[in-house]
Amino acid sequence: MTAELVRGQNHTLPKTRLEIRVSAGTPVVAGATLGDERGTVRGVEWIAHPGSPQLPGLEVSQQAAADHRLAVDLEALPAGAHRVTVLLALPVGAGGPVRFGAVPAPFVAVTGLDGTEIATFTLTDLDAESAVSALELYRRQDAWKVRAVGQGYAGGLAEMLADQGVTDPAALAGSIQEAVTRGLARSVAPPPPRTPEADRVRHATGSADHRPAAPPPAPEPPEPLADPATTGPAHTTQPHTAQPHTAPGPAAAGASAAGPSTGGPINYAHPRRQHAAPPSPPPAAPPAQPGQPAQPVAGDATGWSMDERLYNQIWGMFEDLARAVAAYRSAVDFAESRMDQELDRALSDPRNRIGGAGDRSREAARAKRDELASRAREALDRDLAQLAAEAAVVEPALPAAYAGWGNPVWHAHRIPMEIPMALRIGDLHLPERTDLRIPLLVRLPLERGMWVDSGRTASEAAALMDTDRLRRLAMETAVAHAARLLAVYPPGEFAVHVIDPAGSAAGPLAPLVEAGVLAGPPAAGPGGVASVLAHLTRRVDLVQMAVRARAADSLPPDLDTGEQLLVVNDFPHGFDDRAVTQLRYLADEGPAVGVHLLMVADREEASAYGPVLDPLWRSLLRITPVADSHLADPWVGHAWTYEPLTIPPGSRVLEQVLAAVAAARRAAGR
């Protein structure tokens, strides 16, 4: 029976391998400290946080999220550790809440590895506090107990760490928040909740009042899924605003992961769907053979349209794969840790260090390790096979916006009259099965700019490539993304501007220039850079003022209210200090009013600006022209290998798509 604790109450723990699950309703930082018999933290090596997420017997999440799973093995803690304190803090500088009194009361549960709750605690009555000691696990007379703490700190993480005896707590708190900021920058944002102010449907009217007055709220990751060791990855994916679906969680050992806050039912009563019928159900799967898993079906998710169902299904597959691999890796880590502990116990007696007894102990420990790892791999292989079968039926059914360049759907593509929900910008995979690719979808309108890294230090593949070839490939990647955006927007609803200060990208830009789909010739030289930046900065200022004043009809008649994309090549060449400031302004303020950045740059070449540009790099989603393992999922924080979309050799699909864009514009009189 679950013990529902109140502040100060304790409860005996029946087992030593546990998960601590946190649900906060808003992204929070989760960490843990180890304390001695007096509760004192001996040093930074006894603190697990996003910048250093693993300690012996303890693992926390690497990034801020609305939900966390902390893995605890009390028997594997360092010698002298008698207490584990779970800490929660609000991220600093993330644009979110700054006190726990403004968010739902965090909920913490101590569970077994099978998810069975042992004790729960709801942290109520918090107000100005921005950090809180949620609960502690402590040793008392060779038994472990859990105590509900709920001690908040208005001084934030630094004050909380100081209270535990940490030396220089302010510096450590700063490094933790910096790690959180880096994690947010590299994390792929999960599907955000839909609101009437930021609805995905944007018809071809192009009026400014269809845009949100401010950036949409921070996305909340989905909830944990069901255990893959027992259910497999057959998820019941819900739409991006619906109640979270169930998906695989750590099966053999707890992996730190984030899942979402619970969401309410979808609100379909926005202005453009007042008379719409309820969403059609997903297609029924064919009946499964006895003893076999259900056959996958494309669009096996809830949504108003097939596009929406496919979008939700892809995100469900993404989460399933992340959690299934997390369970496998955690199980293997546990098997290794258990083998080490058994060897230490067996060889602690000097008589067992030599001779047959020692050899038998080593062989038995390794055999047990191999057995556990093998069982974990079998469970993973079952999950991967089911996900691969699902991917095989989903990929051919994807619409153009979600499809790769090699998909035949692009050859029959027609320019739409409304924008799709999302756009595919690449594929993601993990080393456990590199041929299982998950489409990387970004929501439309874009909520974050993109940066195509042309640096040779970006990845091993980039380091082996000639510098000029890599830069050309990076610009070709940017051109392909611009073409995809032009192709999925209604005619005249998306404009592309190009800054090419030295004119070095004439070759890669040729398809856009020759098709006549650019807003103007590529801007070259300092004068061209200044002119384009001034034009877009003026547009951001005017639209912001019109939205805030609710006076969209007061916009100048020559102002293009469609979405704008600025492609910048070879940054920072050709940029003075004023131009850099304007570019940062566009990166920060532009997405909320329809101005987006697509930069091609080598960060090392901009190193002369120092930390001034750090916010710019963090605000952009970094992608690469070659494969690179740098993106993280929002649930577990795996490092995923990003594969850019490539045009098949000899194919003229890019030219055909751009010709269709140009023809649609002429037909619409744009």
Side-chain angles (χ1 to χ4, degrees):
M1 183 175 179
T2 303
E4 298 181 1
L5 306 180
V6 297
R7 275 186 176 84
Q9 189 176 2
N10 59 45
H11 183 73
T12 301
L13 295 173
K15 54 189 71 177
T16 57
R17 296 194 64 240
L18 308 163
E19 275 190 355
I20 299 174
R21 303 187 179 188
V22 178
S23 180
T26 190
V28 297
V29 181
T33 61
L34 303 180
D36 57 19
E37 292 179 338
R38 298 182 178 180
T40 302
V41 179
R42 294 183 179 178
V44 293
E45 66 276 6
W46 272 24
I47 304 175
H49 56 82
S52 178
Q54 291 184 329
L55 297 178
L58 182 62
E59 183 178 1
V60 304
S61 177
Q62 299 182 54
Q63 55 200 49
D67 290 72
H68 294 269
R69 291 185 182 184
L70 284 65
V72 181
D73 185 351
L74 297 173
E75 292 183 350
L77 295 177
H82 289 258
R83 186 175 302 180
V84 179
T85 304
V86 177
L87 315 176
L88 304 178
L90 294 170
V92 174
V98 296
R99 60 186 185 91
F100 275 107
V103 302
F107 174 81
V108 185
V110 180
T111 75
L113 297 183
D114 59 356
T116 302
E117 290 185 347
I118 299 170
T120 64
F121 175 42
T122 302
L123 285 78
T124 57
D125 300 326
L126 296 176
D127 187 12
E129 299 89 345
S130 60
V132 60
S133 294
L135 53 78
E136 63 181 13
L137 314 179
Y138 63 97
R139 193 200 306 264
R140 179 66 55 86
Q141 297 178 350
D142 296 329
W144 283 92
K145 296 185 177 184
V146 56
R147 177 187 291 120
V149 181
Q151 174 64 52
Y153 297 86
L157 194 56
E159 182 183 355
M160 181 167 56
L161 293 172
D163 192 40
Q164 298 194 30
V166 176
T167 303
D168 198 1
L172 178 58
S175 67
I176 293 173
Q177 295 290 359
E178 177 64 24
V180 171
T181 302
R182 291 196 303 269
L184 291 173
R186 64 187 287 267
S187 176
V188 178
R194 182 173 57 206
T195 63
E197 293 80 15
D199 187 75
R200 69 176 179 85
V201 179
R202 184 173 182 275
H203 295 279
T205 56
S207 60
D209 58 348
H210 286 168
R211 307 183 195 282
E220 298 176 359
E223 200 149 29
L225 310 177
D227 191 336
T230 57
T231 64
H235 52 270
T236 55
T237 311
Q238 299 298 323
H240 55 286
T241 55
Q243 296 176 352
H245 60 279
T246 329
S256 64
S261 61
T262 56
I266 305 176
N267 177 14
Y268 293 107
H270 56 75
R272 289 179 293 281
R273 288 189 183 152
Q274 290 177 352
H275 307 291
S280 57
Q289 297 298 322
Q292 298 295 322
Q295 297 299 308
V297 171
D300 184 16
T302 306
W304 273 94
S305 65
M306 177 58 80
D307 287 5
E308 189 169 355
R309 294 198 294 266
L310 287 168
Y311 172 84
N312 293 320
Q313 185 174 15
I314 289 170
W315 270 94
M317 293 166 60
F318 187 11
E319 184 176 3
D320 286 353
L321 181 54
R323 295 198 185 277
V325 170
Y328 166 70
R329 293 179 180 178
S330 184
V332 171
D333 288 344
F334 169 70
E336 293 285 349
S337 174
R338 177 170 178 168
M339 181 188 70
D340 292 340
Q341 293 177 33
E342 291 179 351
L343 288 175
D344 289 342
R345 285 195 296 266
L347 300 179
S348 60
D349 187 345
R351 293 171 296 180
N352 292 336
R353 294 177 186 173
I354 59 175
D359 292 340
R360 287 191 296 273
S361 297
R362 294 185 185 91
E363 291 175 3
R366 293 189 180 107
K368 185 63 175 178
R369 185 270 316 272
D370 294 343
E371 177 190 359
L372 292 174
S374 176
R375 284 163 49 191
R377 184 71 209 197
E378 288 176 3
L380 176 66
D381 287 341
R382 288 195 301 269
D383 294 346
L384 295 182
Q386 194 169 345
L387 283 169
E390 187 173 10
V393 300
V394 167
E395 187 70 35
L398 295 178
Y402 301 177
W405 286 115
N407 194 312
V409 69
W410 277 106
H411 294 282
H413 179 63
R414 297 292 182 268
I415 307 304
M417 294 309 295
E418 67 176 43
I419 67 172
M421 176 176 289
L423 182 74
R424 185 174 184 169
I425 63 170
D427 293 329
L428 299 172
H429 65 81
L430 291 172
E432 280 74 9
R433 181 159 178 176
T434 57
D435 64 329
L436 179 54
R437 308 294 178 90
I438 302 295
L440 175 56
L441 303 179
V442 295
R443 285 290 298 269
L444 294 180
L446 293 173
E447 298 168 354
R448 185 181 183 186
M450 291 184 285
W451 160 36
V452 184
D453 192 346
S454 60
R456 297 186 66 232
T457 59
S459 66
E460 293 182 7
L464 298 174
M465 189 173 293
D466 174 76
T467 300
D468 292 338
R469 170 60 182 152
L470 183 62
R471 289 181 176 177
R472 181 182 179 91
L473 193 60
M475 193 60 194
E476 290 174 350
T477 301
V479 168
H481 287 313
R484 292 174 72 87
L485 285 162
L486 285 166
V488 300
Y489 269 79
E493 282 294 294
F494 196 87
V496 176
H497 308 260
V498 175
I499 289 178
D500 184 21
S504 58
L509 287 171
L512 295 174
V513 174
E514 293 171 1
V517 294
L518 294 178
V529 172
S531 175
V532 172
L533 291 176
H535 169 74
L536 293 177
T537 300
R538 171 179 176 268
R539 184 198 178 283
V540 170
D541 291 340
L542 291 175
V543 175
Q544 277 187 338
M545 288 188 291
V547 170
R548 290 167 182 164
R550 300 185 180 276
D553 54 352
S554 66
L555 289 170
D558 64 335
L559 187 75
D560 182 2
T561 57
E563 302 285 316
Q564 310 288 309
L565 178 71
L566 174 59
V567 181
V568 179
N569 179 46
D570 210 16
F571 177 83
H573 297 296
F575 281 73
D576 55 20
D577 291 345
R578 176 179 173 80
V580 169
T581 300
Q582 289 177 312
L583 194 67
R584 286 187 54 187
Y585 175 74
L586 293 178
D588 293 339
E589 304 294 334
V593 291
V595 176
H596 316 283
L597 289 185
L598 177 53
M599 291 181 53
V600 178
D602 178 356
R603 186 169 182 173
E604 286 195 357
E605 293 186 353
S607 59
Y609 286 95
V612 172
L613 291 181
D614 285 350
L616 173 64
W617 304 121
R618 285 196 294 263
S619 70
L620 304 173
L621 176 63
R622 175 177 171 256
I623 57 179
T624 51
V626 294
D628 184 35
S629 302
H630 67 280
L631 291 178
D633 64 81
W635 304 284
V636 182
H638 293 313
W640 293 72
T641 298
Y642 167 80
E643 293 272 0
L645 299 176
T646 57
I647 298 174
S651 173
R652 295 193 57 80
V653 63
L654 180 63
E655 289 77 8
Q656 294 171 7
V657 167
L658 291 175
V661 171
R665 287 185 172 185
R666 290 192 296 270
R670 299 298 181 105

